[in-house]
Amino acid sequence: MNKIDSKAFAIGEFLSQPIKMHIGGEQVAASSGKTFETLDPGTGKLLARVPAAEAADVDAAVGAARQAFNKTAWRSMPPKDRAVLLHRLADLIDKHTPLLAEIESRDVGKPRAQATAFDIPHAAQTFRYYADLSVNTRHREPFPVAGNDAWSVRQPHGVCGFIFPWNFPFLLLGWGVAPAMAAGNTIVIKPAEDTPLSALLFARLVEEAGIPKGVVNVITGLGSTTGAALSSHPGINRMSFTGSPEIGKLVAEACARNLVPAKLELGGKGAAILFDDIAVESAAEALAAAVTLNAGQVCCTATRWIVHEKVADAFIAKAVSTMKGMKVGYGGDESSQIGPLVSDKQRRRVLGYVERSTKEGAEAYLPGGVADVSGYEEGFYVKPALLGGASDNICAREEVFGPVAYVMKFKDEEEAVTLVNSSPYGLANSVWTSDLDRATRVAERLVAGNSWINAHNLFPHGVSYGGCNLSGCGGGVLGPDTLEDYYRKQSIVRPL
């Protein structure tokens, strides 16, 4: 295929042409000819028309992935040879970082600088991490069994389906598919309908890296049709879904009918416990940055700030001044710190939560509301909000998914832990204190897949990241155990 011209793409050549899906190494339209629109959240205007895949297209993509699994050398390729191709793919991602960050910014709305600094390079590094890990994995292990020659082998499962959300489309794509590909599986990707473009570009980079046709397939469409058809497809061997608990339950039900294992990465209501020995100003600045990252559209971020009553007033004052000083603006503006929300629907959701919270009695330390951005009046912008009050308030209980934090005060350690663990979610929390013994003790008591100390939103490769309870099940990402999820173990026994 032709190599991608980053410069041409950056000035809109890609978007001026018909956008197509990627099935079996071919660029194809939906079989029905139907399309849907994806908007630029910063302008509210049309960005591209994208194929609306239906069940027949899902069949074609799964069939192409199955053929690639059965007929190409991908599944049986020595791990070191697959690793070479995955490193080449990572190099191409790095090479096209400006291009990918541009499309991610325009499709999601996030500041381009954030996508350039974190989303794209972290995804590239994920491919390198799992490529190297697969090379160093023992694919054949003997069993010490008396009277028998016995061993196990690790084999790829087959076709893996992935449904990704709209908040970090390229980053989460990397987190999801890298271990599956490193293990020798073939994949079908269904990106979110709001943000399909970077996944389609990824498929072109996969082919440019020399990975066999059909190993990676990307289908676009609505969750209710394309996503439902993929999650219920009998040709899938493993399924991964990242999104809301409500849709996650539907995916799990559909997979269960076919006895297909499903990895569910779901929502969160993260908390930060701040004790009275913290450095107030730096902690407030750090958490203000965390809750406004990606306009607050981050499932693991700290949206519940549980602050010791002795430092609460000073902490709130610093957080308010920090959040007030952040620039809300278009993602392509290098000075923007908070971009728009992904859609008008999401903006109405966030504003509705703030309104309901105040009606329930929350104190509005920073009221939030619609943000007016000169020159981009049709974009989906909101101001950050900081609310506070009782623990039964809606913004203390439910995931808002916007730049909204909720403060609750506590008197002692037991009360703080109880407040955190009252949530039905269990994704990520943090503990802030200069007493490391207390930090360790409290972090281990919090019910979540992840606890961080004196920081929030940490994602080092080699440390598993995942959730429990309403935040998901079936395994996490980023750790060595995730690669293991994409192998099936097979035992062989010969009597002596």
Side-chain angles (χ1 to χ4, degrees), residues 344-408:
D344 183 53
K345 175 184 177 181
Q346 186 62 18
R347 179 169 65 171
R348 286 185 277 110
R349 169 189 167 90
V350 170
L351 294 174
Y353 265 110
V354 173
E355 181 181 2
R356 289 174 63 187
S357 180
T358 54
K359 284 183 178 178
E360 289 183 8
E363 183 173 353
Y365 302 112
L366 189 63
V370 173
D372 296 319
V373 179
S374 179
Y376 299 98
E377 287 78 11
E378 301 303 314
F380 312 130
Y381 300 94
V382 298
K383 300 174 184 176
L386 181 58
L387 311 173
S391 61
D392 60 351
N393 188 276
I394 190 169
C395 278
R397 295 182 289 106
E398 297 188 13
E399 185 176 34
V400 177
F401 226 57
V404 180
Y406 191 89
V407 174
M408 292 175 280

Side-chain angles (χ1 to χ4, degrees), residues 88-133:
R88 190 177 299 164
L89 174 59
D91 291 344
L92 285 169
I93 292 171
D94 282 341
K95 175 183 176 182
H96 295 296
T97 292
L99 176 158
L100 288 160
E102 174 72 19
I103 199 60
E104 206 77 334
S105 175
R106 294 181 67 182
D107 214 7
V108 183
K110 66 178 60 189
R112 185 172 53 208
Q114 292 178 9
T116 301
F118 181 70
D119 298 38
I120 310 305
H122 201 279
Q125 188 55 40
T126 303
F127 282 97
R128 294 190 180 96
Y129 170 74
Y130 282 111
D132 294 343
L133 189 63

Side-chain angles (χ1 to χ4, degrees), residues 274-276 306-312 409-412:
L274 299 112
F275 285 94
D276 57 355
I306 298 172
V307 189
H308 195 281
E309 60 184 8
K310 290 183 178 179
V311 296
K409 301 176 185 180
F410 74 93
K411 294 181 179 180
D412 57 46

Side-chain angles (χ1 to χ4, degrees), residues 155-173:
Q155 303 280 16
H157 286 278
V159 179
C160 300
F162 293 88
I163 299 176
F164 292 115
W166 44 256
N167 56 336
F168 289 91
F170 195 81
L171 176 68
L172 297 182
L173 182 153

Side-chain angles (χ1 to χ4, degrees), residues 69 73-79 81-87 89-90 93 126-127 130-131 134 139 156-160 162 164 173-189 202-203 205-207 209-212 214-218 482-483 485-487:
F69 186 75
W74 184 252
R75 65 183 290 189
S76 58
M77 190 179 292
D81 293 342
R82 267 201 308 267
V84 168
L85 295 177
L86 292 175
H87 272 276
L89 174 59
I93 292 171
T126 303
F127 282 97
Y130 282 111
S134 68
H139 292 82
H157 286 278
V159 179
C160 300
F162 293 88
F164 292 115
L173 182 153
W175 288 8
V177 307
M181 293 177 69
N185 298 280
T186 58
I187 63 177
V188 179
I189 298 169
F202 170 75
L205 294 178
V206 165
E207 190 168 339
I211 293 170
V215 170
V216 172
N217 305 273
V218 179
T482 307
L483 180 65
D485 291 342
Y486 288 100
Y487 292 116

Side-chain angles (χ1 to χ4, degrees), residues 250-323:
L250 297 177
V251 170
E253 289 172 5
C255 290
R257 295 188 189 101
N258 294 320
L259 296 180
V260 172
K263 181 192 295 283
L264 303 177
E265 297 285 335
L266 308 178
K269 192 63 183 174
I273 299 178
L274 299 112
F275 285 94
D276 57 355
D277 59 350
I278 60 169
V280 171
E281 293 202 353
S282 61
E285 289 172 349
L287 286 170
V291 81
T292 55
L293 176 68
N294 202 37
Q297 299 165 130
V298 184
C299 56
C300 61
T301 202
T303 58
R304 293 182 295 157
W305 295 351
I306 298 172
V307 189
H308 195 281
E309 60 184 8
K310 290 183 178 179
V311 296
D313 290 344
F315 176 85
I316 290 167
K318 180 59 180 179
V320 167
S321 65
T322 301
M323 294 166 78

Side-chain angles (χ1 to χ4, degrees), residues 328-340:
V328 179
Y330 186 65
D333 181 344
E334 294 301 321
S335 65
S336 295
Q337 295 170 282
I338 307 174

